[in-house]
């Protein structure tokens, strides 16, 4: 009841019990042996402990009764064999349960990764979603965090509860007061620990924020790409000062946390002394009064401290389960985070090879989520645009005009705040968004190269690669000569951060690789957001010359700062103040003498007459 109230108060959606069930369910589906091995682990631990408890008192009792030597030897042999077999079985179980637990943790981690890479794109702008991701990864990254360590907690709880029940039965002849004092002091210790755990949970965000900053600074300092800037701009000192500032904050936080741990440890110590003092005094009193013999004294003496350990074990287990349940809360909240777009529940959308696709933006108004929950300024206001099948559309405008945002709306990365994006007259919101993405391919401003071979990067698949097609696309993108002179050719690894033997491609070469990837996907709609920004003029010219071949039979949206490069498009849009300010072919726009002409002439002054102008 108490737990329920606090969980509701803090907005915890699932609670410890449901989160534990979640783990059991995941294990049942993925590696069921994890569950019964955990049970076996607990049972064997209790068995070993029972044998250890009885061994000395039994021998002592035999000695007291003057048993024969052979009887004594048999008893010792019996216990030794028992403890050897139980310990060996226990060790065997412990070794074999590890890989199953790791598998379950990785399985849940993969779910988190899948959610991250396939969830609605705007969720990436949501701070609470990203915070949950960090917490979920933290819970699953290490084997000492809840994602794996919870199995130890389950085992320990089972072991301690079983032990508690058995010892309770054993100690039934001991005064109830001793048992009650033992239980009461252990419960009090638990309550103190519970509040320390709660404090930790409530201040987790503060801890994470500081750690995130320290980690960011350390990563930047090591970053290969920043190595030049750090040296030239003397950024090192600045980074050191920032690190000092956040380290101080972190140490201050640790100090506050340690104070609470200290109080909890002190409470444990005092309560432990009280509990043991009373119990041992009572047992000594019974021996001295002749109520129990030496063997029984030894049995109860060991049992009372064992009994305390079981109670402490139960309380610690509950406390740990509570903390781990809270850690798992982030995993579950992340996995169940409500999607903004329709995914599997949306209508199926299959790419039909001969079908024409028309994209229409109807009366679209869009603004990004501003910082601090405030809505940002509108990027587009009541925008109307139709991209006809096979049309080549160029989008130009000043920085910040909204060119990339337009591409994001066409790609379905964001939905408009008002108005609709339609595919052949149907609002794309009704489709499974993942199907919609299959219709689109693009080259975006930031290159997403994976640490794999050239062929994998082009095919975006590590298993089914059509090598002929890879070579054809690399050829069309103008990268064939470069790749084929490399010793490993299409098997050349990329990304030196991961592979020591990787080849470093230049910005322009990477951009060509991205074009090859776009061609390999062969989708009916393509978007090119400054696809030649990193190319030299000859390479750029080469891509322009091939533009019609590259986009043949496809609808293409092309963003460029180089106004002359838009000549070969069917239509040019000039975006300004959230609207389409001008629209037409290159010649038409130059003929009207307005903004496009002004920008074009301004840019032309810096270029000599030639192919680019
Ligand atoms: P362009 O591509 O024409 O340079 P963008 O489409 O990138 O312009 O940006 C249009 C406007 O939207 C700019 O004012 C930019 O600051 C803002 N903007 C872009 N991306 C985001 C974002 N993720 N969150 C908030 N504002 C953004």
């Amino acid at each position: 009841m108490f737990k329920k109230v606090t969980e509701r108060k803090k907005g915890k959606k699932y609670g410890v019990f449901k989160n534990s069930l979640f783990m059991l369910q995941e294990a049942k589906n993925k590696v069921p042996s994890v569950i019964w091995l955990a049970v076996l682990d607990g049972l064997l631990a209790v068995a070993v402990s029972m044998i250890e408890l009885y061994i000395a008192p039994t021998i002592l009792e035999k000695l007291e009764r003057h048993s024969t030597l052979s009887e004594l030897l048999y008893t010792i042999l019996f216990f030794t064999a028992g403890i050897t077999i139980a310990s060996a079985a226990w060790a065997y179980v412990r070794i074999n349960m590890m890989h199953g637990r790791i598998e379950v943790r990785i399985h849940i981690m993969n779910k988190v990764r899948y959610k991250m890479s396939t969830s609605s794109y705007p969720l990436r702008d949501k701070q609470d979603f990203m915070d949950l991701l960090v917490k979920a990864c933290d819970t699953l990254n290490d084997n000492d965090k809840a994602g794996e360590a919870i199995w130890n907690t389950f085992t320990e709880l089972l072991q301690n509860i079983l032990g508690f029940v058995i010892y309770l039965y054993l100690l039934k002849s001991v005064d109830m007061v001793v048992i009650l004092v033992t239980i009461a002091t252990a419960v009090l210790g638990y309550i103190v620990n519970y509040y320390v755990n709660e404090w930790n949970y409530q201040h987790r965000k503060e801890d994470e924020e500081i750690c995130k900053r320290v980690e960011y600074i350390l990563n930047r300092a090591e970053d290969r790409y920043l190595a030049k800037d750090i040296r030239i701009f003397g950024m090192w000192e600045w980074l050191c000062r920032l690190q000092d500032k956040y380290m101080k904050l972190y140490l201050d936080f640790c100090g506050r946390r340690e104070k609470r741990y200290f109080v909890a440890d002190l409470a444990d110590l005092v309560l432990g002394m009280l509990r043991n003092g009373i119990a041992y005094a009572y047992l000594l009193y019974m021996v001295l009064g002749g109520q129990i013999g030496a063997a029984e004294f030894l049995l109860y003496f060991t049992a009372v401290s064992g009994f305390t350990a079981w109670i402490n074990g139960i309380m610690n287990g509950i406390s740990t389960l509570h903390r781990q349940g809270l850690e798992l809360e982030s995993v579950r909240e992340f996995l169940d985070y409500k999607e903004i777009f329709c995914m599997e529940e949306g209508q199926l959308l299959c790419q039909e090879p001969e079908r024409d696709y028309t994209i229409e933006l109807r009366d679209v108004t869009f603004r990004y989520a501003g910082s601090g929950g405030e809505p940002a300024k509108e990027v587009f206001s009541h925008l109307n645009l139709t991209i006809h099948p096979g049309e080549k559309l160029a989008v130009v405008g000043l920085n910040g005009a909204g060119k990339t945002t337009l591409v994001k709306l066409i790609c379905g990365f964001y939905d408009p705040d008002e108005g609709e994006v339609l595919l052949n007259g149907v609002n794309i919101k009704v489709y499974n968004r993942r199907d919609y993405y299959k219709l689109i391919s693009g080259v975006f401003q930031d290159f997403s190269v994976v640490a794999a071979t050239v062929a994998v990067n082009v095919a975006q698949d590590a298993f089914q690669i059509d090598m002929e097609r890879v070579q054809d696309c690399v050829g069309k993108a103008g990268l064939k000569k470069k790749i084929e002179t490399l010793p490993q050719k299409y098997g050349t690894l990329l990304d030196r951060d991961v592979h020591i033997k990787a080849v470093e491609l230049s910005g322009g070469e990477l951009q060509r690789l991205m074009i090859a990837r776009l061609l390999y996907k062969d989708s009916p709609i393509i978007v090119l957001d400054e696809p030649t920004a990193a190319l030299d003029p000859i390479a750029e010219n080469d891509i322009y010359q091939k533009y019609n071949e590259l986009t043949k039979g496809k609808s293409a949206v092309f963003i460029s700062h180089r106004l002359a490069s838009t000549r070969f498009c069917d239509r040019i849009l000039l975006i300004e103040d959230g609207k389409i300010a001008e629209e037409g072919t290159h010649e038409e726009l130059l003929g009207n003498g307005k903004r496009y002409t002004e920008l074009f002439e301004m840019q032309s002054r810096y270029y000599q007459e030639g192919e680019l102008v």
Side-chain angles (χ1 to χ4, degrees):
M1 166 77 180
F2 170 69
K3 203 187 324 168
K4 268 198 172 160
V5 172
T6 50
E7 275 165 9
R8 230 179 289 133
K9 203 169 64 189
K10 292 192 196 86
K12 286 169 208 153
K13 212 165 152 190
Y14 307 95
V16 177
F17 181 68
K18 283 191 189 160
N19 290 339
S20 304
L21 278 184
F22 163 78
M23 286 304 286
L24 289 169
Q25 195 62 43
E26 290 298 317
K28 189 171 151 250
N29 294 340
K30 187 69 190 166
V31 194
S33 63
V34 164
I35 300 172
W36 61 259
L37 280 175
V39 173
L40 209 57
D41 182 26
L43 292 179
L44 286 166
V46 174
V48 170
S49 161
M50 285 300 142
I51 300 171
E52 281 171 351
L53 172 72
Y54 271 98
I55 195 163
T58 312
I59 293 170
L60 192 64
E61 191 222 26
K62 298 254 180 249
L63 288 173
E64 272 180 340
R65 283 201 289 114
H66 305 291
S67 305
T68 60
L69 184 64
S70 61
E71 202 182 333
L72 212 60
L73 284 178
Y74 277 129
T75 311
I76 292 172
L77 196 68
F78 173 77
F79 277 107
T80 315
I83 205 154
T84 308
I85 293 167
S87 301
W90 191 23
Y92 181 78
V93 166
R94 289 196 79 85
I95 289 168
N96 282 287
M97 67 193 185
M98 290 316 295
H99 58 264
R101 292 180 179 188
I102 295 171
E103 223 179 308
V104 173
R105 177 167 64 83
I106 302 291
H107 164 69
I108 303 171
M109 189 69 198
N110 286 342
K111 282 189 169 187
V112 168
R113 289 203 186 105
Y114 180 77
K115 169 89 179 180
M116 185 55 215
S117 37
T118 57
S119 59
S120 311
Y121 189 83
L123 291 183
R124 303 182 66 95
D125 297 337
K126 285 188 164 260
Q127 194 57 45
D128 60 338
F129 180 75
M130 297 310 283
D131 284 347
L132 279 176
L133 172 70
V134 173
K135 284 186 201 167
C137 289
D138 188 45
T139 305
L140 297 165
N141 267 345
D142 281 332
N143 48 11
D144 59 351
K145 292 286 173 61
E148 197 176 318
I150 197 161
W151 298 110
N152 278 339
T153 315
F154 286 152
T155 302
E156 279 162 22
L157 262 176
L158 172 74
Q159 168 189 339
N160 286 301
I161 291 170
L162 259 179
F164 173 79
V165 173
I166 297 171
Y167 275 45
L168 194 64
Y169 176 76
L170 240 171
L171 292 171
K172 65 182 186 307
S173 48
V174 175
D175 197 308
M176 246 346 247
V177 176
V178 177
I179 295 176
L180 287 179
V181 167
T182 312
I183 294 176
T185 48
V187 171
L188 266 175
Y190 167 74
I191 293 172
V192 175
N193 274 302
Y194 173 88
Y195 280 103
V196 173
N197 280 335
E198 270 300 291
W199 187 90
N200 261 344
Y201 181 75
Q202 280 164 22
H203 291 77
R204 221 178 144 187
K205 212 175 168 80
E206 188 183 343
D207 183 15
E208 276 161 13
E209 280 299 313
I210 303 171
C211 287
K212 201 160 80 183
R213 282 175 168 73
V214 173
E215 208 172 305
Y216 175 80
I217 295 163
L218 289 177
N219 286 344
R220 289 290 78 83
E222 289 169 6
D223 203 327
R224 198 155 60 90
Y225 298 103
L226 283 186
K228 293 193 279 310
D229 308 58
I230 287 174
R231 283 158 184 79
I232 288 283
F233 294 106
M235 281 163 76
W236 176 242
E237 268 182 39
W238 175 59
L239 287 173
C240 281
R241 274 202 303 274
L242 275 179
Q243 196 195 338
D244 282 349
K245 178 183 158 189
Y246 288 112
M247 279 312 285
K248 267 189 201 126
L249 281 176
Y250 185 63
L251 289 176
D252 172 63
F253 175 80
C254 289
R256 281 186 284 143
R257 189 175 55 192
E258 289 311 312
K259 262 186 216 158
R260 277 151 184 98
Y261 278 136
F262 176 73
V263 172
D265 288 346
L266 197 68
D268 270 350
L269 195 75
V270 173
L271 291 169
M273 274 170 58
L274 193 71
R275 180 172 55 227
N276 293 339
I278 292 174
Y280 296 149
Y282 173 77
L283 281 179
L284 276 174
Y285 166 77
M286 281 177 83
V287 176
L288 295 176
Q291 287 150 284
I292 54 173
E296 273 173 309
F297 173 79
L298 187 60
L299 179 70
Y300 291 145
F301 191 83
T302 323
V304 165
S305 57
F307 188 61
T308 311
W310 295 127
I311 297 173
N312 273 338
I314 294 173
M315 294 303 163
N316 286 338
I318 293 173
S319 167
T320 312
L321 193 65
H322 177 74
R323 178 175 52 75
Q324 291 174 336
L326 295 179
E327 285 175 17
L328 286 168
E329 187 85 9
S330 332
V331 176
R332 302 203 58 206
E333 277 186 38
F334 180 79
L335 290 176
D336 292 350
Y337 202 100
K338 196 167 174 352
E339 291 294 343
I340 297 171
F341 300 151
C342 270
M343 298 293 179
E344 271 65 34
E345 71 284 7
Q347 269 181 39
L348 195 70
L349 177 63
C350 291
Q351 184 180 334
E352 297 161 44
E354 297 307 318
R355 184 144 189 221
D356 286 337
Y357 291 99
T358 303
I359 292 187
E360 186 188 348
L361 274 72
R362 190 181 288 168
D363 202 22
V364 163
T365 297
F366 176 78
R367 63 181 74 75
Y368 286 101
S371 50
E374 293 292 311
K377 196 176 151 281
E378 279 172 2
V379 183
F380 293 117
S381 170
H382 304 286
L383 181 94
N384 287 295
L385 167 69
T386 304
I387 306 166
H388 304 285
E391 190 180 18
K392 319 284 176 255
L393 187 78
V395 183
V396 298
L398 298 183
N399 285 340
K403 302 180 293 296
T404 301
T405 307
L406 181 69
V407 161
K408 287 179 186 166
L409 286 167
I410 292 168
C411 288
F413 290 144
Y414 289 99
D415 277 341
D417 296 308
E418 288 165 38
E420 302 169 291
V421 177
L422 307 157
L423 177 75
N424 290 345
V426 180
N427 193 329
I428 64 165
K429 275 184 175 183
V430 305
Y431 294 121
N432 178 346
R433 197 60 61 102
R434 290 177 190 136
D435 287 348
Y436 180 71
Y437 294 144
K438 289 183 190 151
L439 300 182
I440 297 174
S441 186
V443 174
F444 301 100
Q445 286 184 19
D446 26 7
F447 318 133
S448 47
V449 175
V450 290
T453 63
V454 169
V456 168
N457 268 284
V458 172
Q460 290 293 293
D461 192 326
F463 304 104
Q464 285 184 316
I465 303 179
D466 179 344
M467 277 314 290
E468 251 176 56
R469 202 157 124 205
V470 168
Q471 288 172 16
D472 183 44
C473 297
V474 167
K476 281 185 182 150
L479 198 59
K480 196 174 180 122
K481 207 167 137 202
K482 168 77 188 177
I483 301 297
E484 299 206 341
T485 51
L486 296 169
Q488 305 293 323
K489 297 193 167 58
Y490 296 90
T492 303
L493 288 166
L494 300 177
D495 199 338
R496 279 226 177 125
D497 282 342
V498 180
H499 305 290
I500 286 180
K501 288 188 179 163
V503 163
E504 191 102 7
L505 293 182
S506 73
E509 286 161 350
L510 285 175
Q511 204 147 34
R512 284 175 182 272
L513 189 76
M514 295 298 104
I515 294 174
R517 186 174 77 177
L518 168 125
L519 294 173
Y520 188 96
K521 187 174 173 190
D522 193 24
S523 53
I525 302 157
I526 61 176
V527 293
L528 301 144
D529 191 351
E530 307 244 15
T532 58
L535 298 184
D536 60 54
I538 296 172
E540 191 179 21
N541 193 39
D542 175 44
I543 295 287
Y544 294 158
Q545 299 295 333
K546 288 182 182 162
Y547 185 76
N548 276 329
E549 187 194 337
L550 298 178
T551 58
K552 201 167 149 204
K554 300 171 191 304
S555 308
V557 180
F558 174 69
I559 296 180
S560 178
H561 270 117
R562 200 82 33 93
L563 299 193
S565 68
T566 55
R567 266 180 187 171
F568 46 77
C569 292
D570 302 324
R571 189 159 48 123
I572 301 167
L573 305 180
L574 174 78
I575 296 188
E576 210 163 44
D577 299 327
K579 292 196 169 54
I580 299 173
E582 291 174 40
E583 188 174 353
T585 61
H586 181 68
E587 285 70 28
E588 282 167 0
L589 292 183
L590 277 187
N592 71 17
K594 291 189 196 164
R595 187 85 168 123
Y596 183 85
T597 319
E598 187 194 334
L599 295 175
F600 181 75
E601 284 173 357
M602 209 184 289
Q603 208 174 52
S604 302
R605 263 180 247 142
Y606 298 99
Y607 285 83
Q608 290 180 347
E609 284 288 316
E611 287 195 81
L612 286 175
V613 187

